[in-house]
Amino acid sequence: MMIEALIAVALIGALVTFVAPNRVAGKLAFAISLVPAALSLWMFTAFDGSGNALLDGDLAFESHLEWIQFGDYSIEWFVGLDGISLPLVVMTTILCSLAILSSWTPIDRRESQFYGLVLFIEANLIGVFSALDFFVWFIFWEAVLIPMYLLIGVWGGPDRKYAAIKFFVYTNVASLLMFGSFIALVFGLGDAATSFALPEVADAMVNGGGVQSSVFGIDPGTFTALVFIALFLGFAVKVPVVPFHTWLPDAHVQAPTPASVLLAGVLLKMGTYALLRFNFTMFPEQVATYAVPIAAVAVVSVIYGAMLALAQTDLKRIVAYSSVSSMGYVILGLIAYTQFGVGGATFQMVSHGLISGLMFMSVGVIYNVTHTRSVEEMSGLADRMPIAVGILVAGAFGYMGLPLMSGFHGEFTIFFGAFQADFAYAPLFTALAMFGIVIVAGYLLFALQRTVFGPYHLETDYDVGRAPLHDIAPMFVLLALIIALGVAPELIFDMITDAVDPILNGGDL
Amino acid sequence: MAIYQLPEWAALAPALILALTGLVLFLVDSISPRSTNRTLLAGTAAVGALASLAVAVWFTAAGVGTPTMDGGEGVIEIFDGQFVVDQLALYFTIIVAIVTALIVVASYDYLRDHTYQAEYYSLVVLAATGMATVAAANSLVTIFIALELTSLPSYALVAILKDNRGSVEAGLKYFLIGALSSAIFVYGISLVYGATGVLQLDSIATVIADGGADGFGGLLGLGILMLLGGIAFKTASVPFHFWAPEAYEGAPAPISAFLSSASKAAGFVIAFRVFNVAFPLEEIGGVIGFDWTVAFVVLAIVTMTLGNFAAATQENVKRMLAYSSIGHAGYALIGLAGLSADGGELVMGAALMHLLVYGFMNTGAFLFVALAEHWGVGRTFEDYNGLSTQAPVACGAMAVFLFSLAGIPPFGGFFSKYFLFTGALEAATANPAMLAVAAALVVNSALSLYYYSRLVKALWIEEPPATRERLGQPTGLYAAIVVAAVMTIVILPGFGPVAEAATGAAEALIN
C-alpha cells in the first residue's frame, strides 16, 4: 500500500492546498511534499529487486485489485515498482519538493491554486511511473496534461495562451493515437490477454507469440508493425524527438520556472519511460526491424536539437532545446537494446531530470534577480551573484558530461551500449551522436562566457543582488544528487540493470 | 424470511415517495400560501428526492428486479404488468433522484428573489415523479401518461420566470413542440394498437411473434416510426432537437439542468424499454420490412455530429451546453444502434453508464451556469473570463465537468465514452455500420474538446475584466456543484458496481 500512500498524500495535499489561503500555500505545499519524498526514499532503501521484472515475476510494493469487468476484459487497479520505475519515482518526489521551494519567489499571485496544481501533478506522475494496468496508467498519463496546461496558461509568460494550447493539442492528439493503437493491440491479441495489465500484454507479445490472426482484415505482421509505429509516434511527441519537438520550447519558455523544472525533469521522461515499457518491452522483433530509422531519428534529435540550442539567445530557450538533444541520447540508448544501452538510457532519464531541473532553476533565479533572460543583455553576472552562477556553471558542466557527475555516467554507458548494438551502422550512428557532445559543450560554454564571465554589465533598472536562501537551497540539493550519482552510479544503476536484463532476454532473469 | 411481506405496489416506492413529496409541498403551500420559507420548501423537496434515491439504491442492492435465475428477487409486475420494477427501472430512478436532489439544493439560492417558490418545488418533484414512473411503465398507455406527467410540469417550469420574456417565449415554444410530439407519439401508439390489438409491451412482442400483426406490417412500421419521433423529441435528438437550445437558454438554469439530464434520461428509458421489449429484432424485421437499428445508427451519427458542430459555433455558454447535450444524446443513442438479434448488452450497458455519469457532469455544468446567472456576470464566453480568480472552487468544479464531458481522464466521462466505444466495436461484428458509429464517436469527442476547453480557457486563463463586483458564495448552489464534481471524480474508482448494475440492467432487458 506504499504506492497508494504516496499518491494519496499528494492528492489530498493538493486539495488542502487548493483551498488554503494564498499566504501559507507555498510553505504548506512544501511541507506536504516532503511526505512523499521521505516515503519514496524509504521505499528506495527498502526496495527488494529479487522479483523485479515486468515480464516475469512480481514487482516490489505491488498491489492488485479487481476494478471493472466489462465484457470479456477486466480493468484492474494494479501498481508496482521495479528497478526502472523506482528511481524515477524517487526523482519525481524530490524534484517536486524542490520545484515547490523554488516557486516561492517567482509565484506571487493565486498561490494556493498554483501549489495545489503542482501537488496534483506530482500525484499523477507517481501514478504514471507505478501503474501497471493500461487504464490506470492512461488515466494518470492524461491527468498530468490538464494541470500543466493551467500552470503554463495561468502563470506563464506573455505568450502563455498560445504555448499552453499548443502543448495541450500536441500531447493530447499523441495520446489519442497511442490510446487507440494500444486498445487495438489488446483486442488483436484475442484470448491471449483478458485484461489490460501491462505484464500480461507484454508476456502475450513476447512469449505468447504476439498477434496471431488477422485483425480488421489486416494480417498480423502488418498490424503489429502499425501498432508499434503508432505507439512510437504517440510517445515521440512527449519525449520529444525531432520533428515533433516544436511544442517544447514554446511551453518551456512561457512556463513559470517550477513548471519548466517539472516539464523537463519529469514530463519528458514519461515519454521515454513509456517507450521502454511499451515499444521496447513488448515488441522486440519490431525494435530490431526498425532500429535503423529510430536510431536515425535519435541522432537527428541529438544534433539538430543541439544546433538549435546553439542558435538561441534566450538562456531558457538554450536549456529547453538542449533537452531535445539529451532525450535523443536516451532514444539512442534504448534502440541499442543492450544492457548498457537500455540501462544507460534509464540512468540518463534520472540524470537529465536532475540536471535540467537544476539548469532551469538557475535560469529562473537569474531571471528573478535580473528580469531578463537574454544572453546579449547580460554580462559578468558572476560578480554580483557568485553562488547562483557557480551552480549554473556546475550544472552546465554536468550537462556536458563532466566525469564524476551523473551526466557522464549516463552518456558514457549509452555510447558504450550503442557501440555494441546489433543493427546496421550502429558504430557510425553512435559516433555521429557523440559529436553532439561537442556542440553541447559549444553552446553552453558560449552562453556562459557571455553571461557569466567578463566585466559586469546589465541593461536593467533592477537592483541585482544575491538570491534568497530558499532559491539557492534546492539547487544545492540537486547538485549534491548529481555529484552523488556521478561518483557512485551503482546507487541506482545496479537496480536498473537488474530490471533491464529480463526485458532483453524475453522475461528470463 | 421477511417478517412482514410488503405489498407489491411498494416496489414503486421511489416514485411514490416523490409523488408524496409533491403533495406535501402543495399542502404547505395551501396552509400558508404566501410563504417564502425557502428552507422549508427546498428542504422538503430535497429530503423527498434523497429518500427516493435511498430506497431505489436499497432496492438495487437488495436485488429487487434481478431475474430470479440470477439469484435475485425477481422482476416485480404491478397492476397486471402495467408497471414493472426491474433493474432498468431502478437504475433510471436513481439517475432521476440524483439529478432532482441536486437541482432542488441548487434552486435554494437561485430562487431567492423569485415568486412561486412552493409551486416551483412541487412542479420539479412532480416532473421527477413522472420520470420515475416512466422508468417503470410497461405499457404504451402508462408510458404516455407518465410522459405527460413529466412534460406538463416541465412546460410550466421553463416559463416560471414570468417577468422574463426569454423564459416565457421558451416555455411557449417548448409547450407547442411538446404538444405536437405528444400527438405524434400517441398517434403512433394508436397505430401499434391497431396493428396488434394490445398495449402492454411484452404482449405486443408476443402478438408479433405469433404472427398476429402479419397483415399490418405497414401500419406497425409507421407506428414505430411515430413512436421514434416522440422519443426523439423527448431526448432532444435530431431532427426534433430544435426546441432544446431555445428552451434550455430561456429556462432558469437549474431547470435547464433538470431537462437536459433527468428528462432526457426519461426519454431514453422509454426508447430502451419499448424497442427492446415490444419490438424484438428477431421478429420485427420480417413483419415491418426494415430493421429499426438502422434508424438509430443514422440518428446517433447525425445527432452527435450536428450537436457538436452547432455547439462549437456558439458564443453563449448556455446554448453551447444545450447543443453539447444534443451531442450527448447522440452518444446515448449508440446503445440502441448497437443492438442486434444476438445481443448488444455491452453497448446498451455502456449507454446506461454514460447516462448516469452524464447525470452528474451535465447537471453540474448547468448548475455552474445557474451560479453565473445568480452572480449576474453575463452569458457569453467573454463574460466568464477570469472567473477563477474570484471563485476558484466553483471554477475548478466546472473544469472537472467540462473535461469529463469531453471524455478526458481522470473523470467519469472518459470511462463511459470508452465503454461506448468498445461496445460499438463489439457490435460491429454483427453490424458493420457500427464501425462508422464508433468512428463518429471518436471524431466528435475530439471536436468537443475544442469548445469545452474554450470555456476552461475563459474561466482560468483569460484575465478578468477590471470592473466586476464581488461575487457571493451561495451555499446551496455551491453545495450542489461541489457534490456533482466530487461524484464525477469519485464515480471512477466506483465504476465497478456501476458497470455491473448497468450491464445487469441491459441484460435483463434484452433477454
Side-chain angles (χ1 to χ4, degrees), chain A residues 378-384 389 445-458:
Chain A
M378 289 187 261
S379 169
L381 280 182
D383 275 357
R384 296 295 175 101
V389 162
L445 290 175
F446 194 46
L448 288 180
Q449 189 252 325
R450 286 198 286 178
T451 54
V452 170
F453 306 117
Y456 174 75
H457 169 72
L458 189 62

Side-chain angles (χ1 to χ4, degrees), chain A residues 115-170:
Chain A
Y115 293 107
L117 288 173
V118 172
L119 284 173
F120 184 63
I121 291 190
E122 176 174 6
N124 290 304
L125 288 172
I126 297 168
V128 167
F129 292 128
S130 56
L132 293 167
D133 181 279
F134 178 72
F135 269 92
V136 180
W137 179 85
F138 186 73
I139 286 170
F140 286 126
W141 172 274
E142 283 287 280
V144 171
L145 276 186
I146 297 165
M148 188 47 90
Y149 166 73
L150 291 175
L151 284 185
I152 298 174
V154 177
W155 289 272
D159 277 335
R160 58 183 188 277
K161 289 174 199 164
Y162 169 75
I165 286 171
K166 191 170 178 183
F167 163 77
F168 194 82
V169 170
Y170 264 64

Side-chain angles (χ1 to χ4, degrees), chain A residues 67 110 135 160-161 172, chain B residues 388 415 449 462-463 492-493:
Chain A
W67 186 12
R110 301 168 77 176
F135 269 92
R160 58 183 188 277
K161 289 174 199 164
N172 197 46
Chain B
S388 69
F415 260 165
L449 186 56
E462 301 291 347
E463 295 296 327
L492 196 67

Side-chain angles (χ1 to χ4, degrees), chain A residues 292 295 332 336 417-432:
Chain A
V292 173
L332 182 71
F419 267 124
Q420 297 173 328
D422 274 341
F423 60 86
Y425 309 114
L428 178 67
F429 280 121
T430 316
L432 278 174

Side-chain angles (χ1 to χ4, degrees), chain A residues 18 67-68 70-71 75 110 113 135 138-139 142-143 146 149-150 153-154 160-161 165 168 172 179 183 187 196, chain B residues 346 353 388-389 392 403 408-411 414-415 418-419 422 449 457 460-463 492-493 495-496 499:
Chain A
F18 192 83
W67 186 12
I68 305 171
F70 185 71
I75 296 173
R110 301 168 77 176
Q113 294 157 34
F135 269 92
F138 186 73
I139 286 170
E142 283 287 280
I146 297 165
Y149 166 73
L150 291 175
V154 177
R160 58 183 188 277
K161 289 174 199 164
I165 286 171
F168 194 82
N172 197 46
F179 180 78
I183 297 292
F187 281 99
F196 292 91
Chain B
L346 283 187
M353 286 180 230
S388 69
T389 49
F403 281 122
I408 290 200
F411 307 116
F414 162 65
F415 260 165
Y418 165 71
F419 287 138
T422 39
L449 186 56
K457 186 168 156 254
W460 281 92
I461 295 182
E462 301 291 347
E463 295 296 327
L492 196 67
F495 225 89

